[in-house]
Amino acid sequence: MDTRLTAEQDEIRRTLREVLRKRCGPAELRAAVDTPAGHDPLLWSALAGRLGLPGLALPERYGGAGCSATELALACEETGRALAPSPLLATSALTAPLVLALGTEAQRAGLLPRIAAGSLTAALAVAGPALSTALALTGANAGYSAGGGRAGGVQARRAEGGWRLYGEVAQVLDGHSAGLLVVAAHTGGFARSRTLLFLVAGDEPGLVRARQSALDATRPQGRLQLRDVPAEVLGSPDTDVLPALAATGDTVAAVLAAEAVGAAARVLERTVEYAGQRMQFGRPIGSFQAVKHRLADVHVAVQAARSAAYYAAWAAGRGEGAGALALAQALEALLCAAAEGIQLHGGIGFTWEHDAHLYFKRAAGDALLFGPVHRLRDRAAETAGIFTPGGEVAV
């Protein structure tokens, strides 16, 4: 692995940071999260039109830039620094790879160029508590089911002219505003139970959507109610979607890890700056050894998490699963950085008016949605075969 960034990668980071500095400051961020969509459409248009961000990791034949997960992770590191609310994660990391991996050529040609251009946003509709399982981040997804019988979830049945979906899904990232939904649904009854993915347009009759209150307002979520909604199966009804979900999960984890690293680095920068300005006993609090030690510990954690995130993004393009472990380390670093930021900012750090709590909520919200740190590490250890079933170290 070459740890040096290319000129193109440096340009992506520099340009994106400049755009976000101008158009996603604290005031713009708070205004965006209060809108019905939860993000600024004009900022999204700028990211898509000027930078081609939605299609960064899509092939050129579908209008993308043909880059790898590494470039997408570097871009998300910058959006993480600004806590920029946008459909980037839901569209480009969660949904577009599934359409690319499972879709028919007609589906790819019809959807991916619009996603790459930013004119179509997308969301993956998997029930929130099951999302980390479906993506194989906190356990093998071999037993994952989108729901069946009286267990709830989403049911799919064949009907004249296609498929119909019925059910409810909560905690869908950007599910309330996305133009395209990829819905995981249960089909086949009890005897031949299986999960398939279905394409649902955001304006289909029978689809009822509403934005949910979420711990992290910068990561808007929606609740979907599907009442006999017409749908199109993604790819073939005979396709096993679970391996594609697991592969997508590893990339998503690497991208999320980079995003968390960006947020952690930014909150550390702000805390260091404040520690150099706040006076106590006639001197800046940053000059006290105890404060220096705490900030140094956060710095080490952030740098270690950045190394893990970069490696996971590089490995994702080579089929080596390192995303879950990198995400665990990055979330832990962000939680540590945000907590220290709140503490060292003193009284102002605990107020709603200050931005420190937004970083803490980003870490806590991601841990709730994509798996707590200990479960991510447990899954990584299981995948690597570190421990045998009897609890002894494998040799």
Side-chain angles (χ1 to χ4, degrees):
M1 175 184 174
D2 188 351
T3 58
R4 295 171 298 179
L5 299 182
T6 65
E8 183 182 35
Q9 291 169 339
D10 273 329
E11 182 65 16
I12 290 172
R13 296 179 64 180
R14 186 194 64 78
T15 306
L16 183 54
R17 183 174 298 190
E18 182 66 19
V19 170
L20 292 174
R21 184 184 65 81
K22 293 179 178 178
R23 307 192 60 166
C24 194
E28 292 82 1
L29 168 62
R30 291 175 182 268
V33 299
D34 288 337
T35 63
H39 67 268
D40 182 5
L42 295 179
L43 175 61
W44 177 245
S45 297
L47 296 178
R50 179 177 173 183
L51 303 177
L53 210 57
L56 197 60
L58 289 176
E60 294 181 6
R61 66 179 182 276
Y62 297 120
C67 296
S68 67
T70 301
E71 284 73 22
L72 182 59
L74 290 172
C76 285
E77 183 180 357
E78 295 305 316
T79 61
R81 283 179 57 89
L83 294 182
S86 79
L88 181 63
L89 178 67
T91 299
S92 301
L94 276 169
T95 311
L98 291 172
V99 176
L100 181 63
L102 300 175
T104 64
E105 184 54 38
Q107 290 171 337
R108 295 173 186 170
L111 298 174
L112 293 180
R114 295 164 60 197
I115 289 176
S119 60
L120 178 66
T121 58
L124 175 62
V126 174
L131 180 60
S132 61
T133 302
L135 297 176
L137 294 178
T138 56
N141 68 355
Y144 166 74
S145 174
R150 296 183 179 180
V154 180
Q155 314 297 315
R157 64 177 179 85
R158 286 188 181 273
E160 184 177 353
W163 292 81
R164 297 276 176 168
L165 303 184
Y166 189 93
E168 182 174 311
V169 189
Q171 295 178 264
V172 180
L173 290 179
D174 294 302
H176 60 296
S177 61
L180 172 70
L181 300 171
V182 175
V183 183
H186 174 271
T187 185
F190 180 78
R192 293 179 292 176
S193 172
R194 62 196 307 255
T195 296
L196 293 176
L197 297 178
F198 294 87
L199 300 173
V200 178
D203 57 356
E204 286 287 3
L207 175 63
V208 180
R209 305 192 286 178
R211 184 177 175 182
Q212 286 183 290
S213 297
L215 173 64
D216 178 13
T218 66
R219 191 85 86 189
Q221 301 176 15
R223 178 184 296 273
L224 313 179
Q225 292 180 342
L226 301 106
R227 303 169 180 174
D228 206 32
V229 175
E232 177 186 356
V233 66
L234 178 61
S236 167
D238 300 323
T239 301
D240 183 5
V241 304
L242 298 182
L245 282 169
T248 299
D250 187 68
T251 302
V252 168
V255 169
L256 278 168
E259 190 183 71
V261 165
R266 180 55 183 151
V267 74
L268 175 60
E269 289 173 6
R270 296 183 64 170
T271 305
V272 170
E273 181 182 2
Y274 182 76
Q277 298 171 349
R278 180 185 172 190
M279 304 297 291
Q280 191 73 27
F281 303 111
R283 54 191 289 194
I285 64 170
S287 65
F288 295 120
Q289 190 174 38
V291 174
K292 290 180 180 180
H293 285 173
R294 293 169 70 171
L295 292 175
D297 287 343
V298 175
H299 174 74
V300 171
V302 171
Q303 293 303 317
R306 177 177 281 115
S307 297
Y310 285 3
Y311 173 77
W314 174 82
R318 291 157 178 77
E320 303 174 17
L325 192 57
L327 178 57
Q329 189 160 357
L331 289 179
E332 198 168 57
L334 178 53
L335 279 168
C336 176
E340 291 289 3
I342 292 172
Q343 181 70 27
L344 293 176
H345 272 83
I348 189 64
F350 288 85
T351 65
W352 291 113
E353 289 76 13
H354 199 273
D355 294 336
H357 70 96
L358 296 176
Y359 290 91
F360 191 87
K361 289 178 178 178
R362 169 60 66 89
D366 282 356
L368 288 172
L369 195 58
F370 294 96
V373 168
H374 71 277
R375 292 191 62 194
L376 289 166
R377 285 185 170 142
D378 181 70
R379 172 58 180 167
E382 178 187 355
T383 303
I386 293 178
F387 298 104
T388 65
E392 298 178 354
V393 177
V395 293

